[in-house]
Amino acid sequence: MDLERGGDGGGEGFPSAEKKKDSWRAVVTLAYQSLGVVYGDLSTSPLYVYKNTFAEDIEHSETNEEIYGVLSFVFWTLTLVPLLKYVFIVLRADDNGEGGTFALYSLLCRHARVGFLPNGQLADEELSTYKKTDGGDAAPPSGGAAAASRVKRLLEKHQVLQLLLLILALIGTCMVIGDGVLTPAISGLELSMSREQHKYVEVPIACAILVALFALQHYGTHRVAFLFAPIVVTWLVCISAIGVYNIFHWNPHVYQALSPYYMYKFLKKTQRGGWMSLGGILLCITGSEAMYADLGHFSQLSIQIAFTSMIYPSLILAYMGQAAYLSKHHFIESDYRIGFYVSVPEKIRWPVLAIAILAAVVGSQAVITGTFSIVKQCSALSCFPRVKIVHTSSKVHGQIYIPEINWMLMTLCLAVTVGFRDTKRMGNASGLAVITVMLVTTCLMSLVIVLCWHKSIFFAVCFILFFGSIEALYFSASLIKFLEGAWVPIALSFIFMIIMYVWHYGTLKKYEFDIQNKVSIDWLIGLSPNLGIVRVRGIGLIHTELVSGIPAIFSHFVTNLPAFHQVSYALDARWYSHLTFGIPQVLVFLCIKSVPVPYVRPEERFLVGRIGPKEYRVYRCIARYGYRDVHKDDIEFEKDLVCSIAEFIWSSVSHAGGTQEQPEKDNDRMAVVGAGLGLCEEEVDLDDAAGPSSSREIQSPVARKKKVRFVLPESPHLDSDEREELQELMEAREAGMAFILGHAEVKAKSGSGLIKRFVIDIGYDFLRRNCRGPAYAVSIPHASTLEVGMVYSV
């Protein structure tokens, strides 16, 4: 993977809140950057809120009750949802600094066993990031702890509730992706000159801007943020100044409309039309979810500072200014009708239009960035096909770019832009997507309040009733416009939902097959130390999803590979033939798994254990990664893996040479090692390297003039057996590594139902063949790869 390694000196890219909060200068810098990434969409909402609200459902009358009612709705919606709910409550439910729908779900997975795959271990709960004190430092009250215990038992007992929880998280995720399609499209059309003679140039220019926007994404959030932040700051200053001017010039008493009484008057007068117009008012909070989804790109404090000091007051002044102008202009004859530009003074209208065009384009950045983040989380937790993750910042962890998702979003945005050519219909679609994500967040937060924060169920019920009722009102108003554009996010989410659920279901069934068909330790013992076949120099890495037991693929490999089999390799356009091939002298069953935490510290990365007697030289190594971790490149991972096994041997975790690993006690016999053993390293020329191992090593396809050789340090504490085992490990490392990869053909069992056969044989098989392979996706090191084919009947 093309990665820029970020983070600490260990090179793991392990981020921490401390890094983001080490100084006020860093916080202010992040707050400034967040303006261009997180708040672009939210800050441009004044462009189309009044325009969409008064489009057809209600009309502006001389009594001003409609415009005052809309202003009151906008004010209280901005105050209660983005400010109160997100800034002061939801942002506190971070998963070690990460946010988004799956961050909430991962918190719930840690506090109740409702996880994705049954590969959890007790050792995972000892990770420092696997904390269960989210939301406060005080000890939880006994009543809250009792409520959490009851809710936990209820979730763990009923699989239907676990499935509903997963589906709820997937719906929120799919709606975020759908919003990632719609927001850039509506922002592109908001350059809208709105006059009929410009209709033929509007859509082509919007499409060109969208292509340019998505083409910028590979430069990364850090660079894009510094490019976009000045535009958003200029835009905020501009709308604030215009708002203040309009308030004092046209109606200084417009502040009275902030009273909630005007909401009651508005609904009483407009009735059904007013209720349907709420879909337009809803657009004032589009982009609020980005504050939480993009939390990992910045920090909690920086996002809070940016919103409370710049975004919130600027938006309130802008909406008040528009309402003040409209309250004195009941009948408007303008190309812009009741939109934003009519309230802009004539002398500065065109400069403001130019700034608005740039700001509208920037508004797309928040949802694009949030889409990248949530797809990365889903992919790491086996709920999305594997994709290429490019980390674009070496300083701020979590800033990523996904090429496949970027170009897919661009294609869908262009299709929506050309297909609709109407901001009103796209506004209806975007509003439904936004409010659905907010409803999902509210539901998951109510569980987090009980399970993670150990608060009373009363607080959780109050939270979901208060915010849920507000969002349900907007949701109903958006859903009623299903045929007027709101069907788009539902259709997009349905497609992505099918993809994600099929991938998750296929992955789960494949893992269950591995569990049911794993080989007993007695079979391995019966093969003798040579495992029934010739052992050759080198390290063999056998990739497996299992955290215990021996995978069936290994027995399939041993059974079907003849001793002294002569094979040929094509590496780097050179043929290596007539090589004696057998089982490598050191075997490592390597499991690279994701745990429901955002990060795993370098010193906690590896779990290492021994399989079978010591003389077999067979080890199990579990490399644990969080859903936001950076995977190291081949060379670094290879080095850390070998050092971890060496440290395991050094620490003499398994004292008895003939002790056998029992499958049910596999976790007890594994140790957490941090690759901290002080092995000396020296660089040697490959051409001059002497010794029997150098002549038999298969070199990596990427030619290197130098290689690192490990030298065992002298120590009086090592006994002869440990020294011999370490020496063999070092010699095997110098001889090279071979990666044995299972090539699974997943088929539904005979007699399976039609739906299952369709999902497994067609859906999952198509996704598996067309997504990134595991060796590429996790950057597994290998000098040569051998694929062992097996048919999985699930």
Side-chain angles (χ1 to χ4, degrees):
M1 237 188 280
D2 300 327
L3 303 176
E4 288 186 33
R5 287 182 6 216
D8 52 25
E12 290 283 345
F14 180 81
S16 61
E18 292 80 1
K19 284 190 173 185
K20 296 179 182 178
K21 301 177 182 178
D22 54 357
S23 68
W24 275 102
R25 181 179 179 182
V27 171
V28 171
T29 301
L30 286 175
Y32 171 76
Q33 291 184 37
S34 71
L35 293 173
V37 175
V38 177
Y39 296 111
D41 188 20
L42 188 60
S43 66
T44 55
S45 58
L47 285 172
Y48 39 77
V49 169
Y50 285 125
K51 178 180 177 181
N52 279 47
T53 303
F54 288 94
E56 58 185 36
D57 300 312
I58 57 175
E59 294 182 0
H60 181 208
S61 66
E62 294 186 12
T63 62
N64 287 326
E65 289 181 347
E66 293 85 1
I67 194 65
Y68 286 168
V70 170
L71 175 60
S72 184
F73 264 106
V74 168
F75 171 76
W76 287 106
T77 303
L78 280 170
T79 302
L80 295 177
V81 179
L83 183 64
L84 180 59
K85 175 186 170 182
Y86 279 96
V87 171
F88 291 115
I89 300 178
V90 175
L91 284 181
R92 294 180 59 220
D94 66 296
D95 187 8
N96 292 278
E98 300 301 320
T101 305
F102 262 76
L104 287 176
Y105 188 71
S106 71
L107 283 174
L108 296 175
C109 287
R110 296 211 299 272
H111 290 79
R113 297 184 179 180
V114 293
F116 297 90
L117 294 176
N119 63 349
Q121 298 172 278
L122 292 176
D124 296 339
E125 299 185 12
E126 298 174 2
L127 293 170
S128 57
T129 50
Y130 205 103
K131 61 181 181 179
K132 293 189 177 182
T133 56
D134 309 273
D137 300 325
S142 57
S149 179
R150 288 196 300 270
V151 173
K152 178 181 177 182
R153 287 197 303 269
L154 183 66
L155 286 174
E156 292 177 350
K157 181 179 179 181
H158 299 284
Q159 289 189 351
V160 175
L161 295 178
Q162 298 176 22
L163 180 62
L164 288 176
L165 199 61
L166 172 63
I167 291 176
L168 191 65
L170 293 183
I171 289 174
T173 301
C174 293
M175 283 294 180
V176 169
I177 299 174
D179 192 34
V181 172
L182 294 165
T183 299
I186 192 175
S187 297
L189 281 177
E190 269 309 324
L191 61 88
S192 168
M193 302 166 220
S194 295
R195 289 174 289 185
E196 288 299 324
Q197 60 264 38
H198 291 291
K199 285 295 182 182
Y200 293 104
V201 297
E202 177 183 337
V203 172
I205 293 177
C207 292
I209 290 177
L210 287 174
V211 171
L213 174 66
F214 283 101
L216 283 174
Q217 297 303 314
H218 76 277
Y219 289 106
T221 306
H222 176 75
R223 296 178 180 88
V224 171
F226 271 108
L227 175 65
F228 286 169
I231 297 174
V232 176
V233 171
T234 305
W235 169 249
L236 291 173
V237 172
C238 182
I239 62 175
S240 300
I242 294 173
V244 172
Y245 169 81
N246 284 331
I247 291 171
F248 286 98
H249 187 267
W250 296 111
N251 189 354
H253 301 289
V254 73
Y255 69 88
Q256 296 176 354
L258 302 182
S259 169
Y261 174 68
Y262 284 90
M263 290 192 292
Y264 166 76
K265 293 182 65 176
F266 171 80
L267 292 177
K268 182 180 179 180
K269 180 178 181 180
T270 57
Q271 296 182 356
R272 187 176 187 275
W275 169 62
M276 293 183 66
S277 70
L278 293 179
I281 298 175
L282 167 64
L283 297 178
C284 73
I285 55 174
T286 56
S288 299
E289 184 71 23
M291 285 192 289
Y292 187 50
D294 292 340
L295 183 60
H297 292 247
F298 302 98
S299 69
Q300 182 184 136
L301 184 58
S302 65
I303 290 178
Q304 290 172 330
I305 290 174
F307 183 83
T308 54
S309 63
M310 286 286 293
I311 302 299
Y312 181 74
S314 298
L315 289 178
I316 297 301
L317 289 174
Y319 286 116
M320 289 178 65
Q322 288 186 59
Y325 179 88
L326 294 173
S327 67
K328 300 300 181 182
H329 298 79
H330 305 105
F331 302 101
I332 301 172
E333 295 294 336
S334 170
D335 293 322
Y336 303 105
R337 293 182 296 178
I338 204 169
F340 168 78
Y341 299 108
V342 71
S343 65
V344 178
E346 186 70 31
K347 293 182 179 179
I348 61 170
R349 184 167 294 173
W350 286 104
V352 170
L353 176 62
I355 299 173
I357 291 172
L358 296 175
V361 174
V362 174
S364 309
Q365 185 61 46
V367 292
I368 295 174
T369 304
T371 302
F372 289 160
S373 298
I374 206 159
V375 168
K376 167 68 165 63
Q377 296 176 17
C378 294
S379 180
L381 296 174
S382 302
C383 277
F384 199 88
R386 301 182 188 97
V387 290
K388 181 180 181 180
I389 310 294
V390 181
H391 292 256
T392 57
S393 175
S394 59
K395 296 180 179 179
V396 181
H397 195 93
Q399 296 187 357
I400 60 174
Y401 165 68
I402 305 177
E404 294 96 331
I405 300 300
N406 185 65
W407 303 124
M408 180 194 69
L409 288 179
M410 186 192 76
T411 303
L412 292 174
C413 279
L414 294 176
V416 170
T417 302
V418 175
F420 274 125
R421 305 187 182 201
D422 180 12
T423 56
K424 180 181 179 299
R425 289 179 176 270
M426 282 192 285
N428 294 336
S430 179
L432 182 61
V434 167
I435 200 62
T436 304
V437 177
M438 291 182 176
L439 272 171
V440 169
T441 300
T442 299
C443 294
L444 295 179
M445 268 300 302
S446 62
L447 290 175
V448 168
I449 289 173
V450 176
L451 285 175
C452 307
W453 292 356
H454 297 286
K455 303 296 182 182
S456 170
I457 294 180
F458 173 77
F459 289 104
V461 172
C462 290
F463 179 86
I464 197 170
L465 285 180
F466 182 73
F467 293 108
S469 59
I470 295 173
E471 292 158 359
L473 180 66
Y474 283 117
F475 179 80
S476 63
S478 297
L479 194 61
I480 200 68
K481 298 186 178 181
F482 179 83
L483 297 178
E484 300 176 30
W487 62 269
V488 176
I490 296 177
L492 289 173
S493 299
F494 182 72
I495 294 172
F496 284 113
M497 183 80 173
I498 291 176
I499 292 173
M500 295 170 72
Y501 191 78
V502 166
W503 182 261
H504 172 70
Y505 179 78
T507 304
L508 180 62
K509 291 300 179 183
K510 183 174 177 291
Y511 186 84
E512 289 177 353
F513 179 90
D514 279 331
I515 290 288
Q516 295 167 3
N517 293 275
K518 63 183 180 181
V519 181
S520 67
I521 190 69
D522 295 332
W523 176 84
L524 182 70
I525 301 299
L527 292 179
S528 78
N530 284 333
L531 303 183
I533 200 170
V534 173
R535 304 290 291 271
V536 297
R537 299 176 69 87
I539 296 178
L541 295 178
I542 302 174
H543 180 256
T544 175
E545 301 292 338
L546 297 178
V547 295
S548 64
I550 300 171
I553 190 175
F554 180 68
S555 63
H556 187 72
F557 170 65
V558 172
T559 304
N560 292 278
L561 182 71
F564 297 100
H565 181 58
Q566 305 296 317
V567 297
S568 299
Y569 291 88
L571 295 175
D572 195 23
R574 294 176 296 176
W575 286 88
Y576 294 86
S577 58
H578 306 294
L579 297 177
T580 301
F581 190 80
I583 297 294
Q585 71 184 96
V586 175
L587 276 179
V588 180
F589 288 91
L590 176 63
C591 174
I592 299 180
K593 75 169 188 175
S594 293
V595 287
V597 296
Y599 312 104
V600 176
R601 293 186 179 276
E603 61 271 18
E604 300 172 331
R605 173 79 65 216
F606 295 100
L607 272 173
V608 182
R610 195 190 306 278
I611 299 179
K614 181 183 291 187
E615 61 268 18
Y616 279 44
R617 305 295 191 252
V618 181
Y619 308 93
R620 182 188 313 284
C621 184
I622 300 173
R624 301 176 292 182
Y625 286 89
Y627 56 79
R628 284 299 191 103
D629 265 324
V630 181
H631 293 275
K632 285 189 170 183
D633 59 28
D634 294 356
I635 307 304
E636 287 295 319
F637 184 89
E638 180 180 312
K639 173 185 171 183
D640 284 354
L641 179 65
V642 173
C643 285
S644 296
I645 298 173
E647 184 176 352
F648 170 76
I649 298 171
W650 185 293
S651 60
S652 300
V653 175
S654 298
H655 295 286
T659 303
Q660 299 176 7
E661 181 199 51
Q662 299 298 327
E664 66 271 15
K665 296 182 180 180
D666 189 75
N667 290 345
D668 298 334
R669 292 189 174 276
M670 302 197 73
V672 178
V673 292
L677 183 61
L679 298 175
C680 301
E681 302 174 9
E682 63 179 16
E683 287 190 350
V684 297
D685 291 322
L686 289 177
D687 297 334
D688 301 333
S693 62
S694 60
S695 62
R696 302 181 62 177
E697 181 178 1
I698 301 174
Q699 305 301 341
S700 171
V702 181
R704 290 176 291 165
K705 293 182 180 180
K706 299 283 186 180
K707 75 171 183 178
V708 176
R709 183 167 64 186
F710 293 93
V711 180
L712 191 65
E714 294 294 334
S715 173
H717 303 293
L718 285 176
D719 59 34
S720 58
D721 290 340
E722 289 175 339
R723 182 172 295 278
E724 180 183 356
E725 189 174 4
L726 282 170
Q727 190 63 45
E728 284 190 26
L729 178 65
M730 298 302 105
E731 291 175 358
R733 165 64 185 86
E734 290 183 32
M737 284 191 175
F739 184 74
I740 303 171
L741 176 67
H743 184 81
E745 191 76 17
V746 183
K747 297 292 182 182
K749 291 180 180 178
S750 59
S752 299
L754 179 63
I755 296 179
K756 182 177 180 179
R757 291 204 306 271
F758 180 82
V759 169
I760 297 296
D761 296 345
I762 298 178
Y764 182 73
D765 186 67
F766 174 82
L767 293 175
R768 183 184 59 81
R769 291 177 184 273
N770 290 278
C771 73
R772 301 278 180 176
Y776 186 93
V778 295
S779 190
I780 297 173
H782 58 278
S784 59
T785 300
L786 178 66
E787 287 192 340
V788 182
M790 277 192 68
V791 177
Y792 282 51
S793 297
V794 300

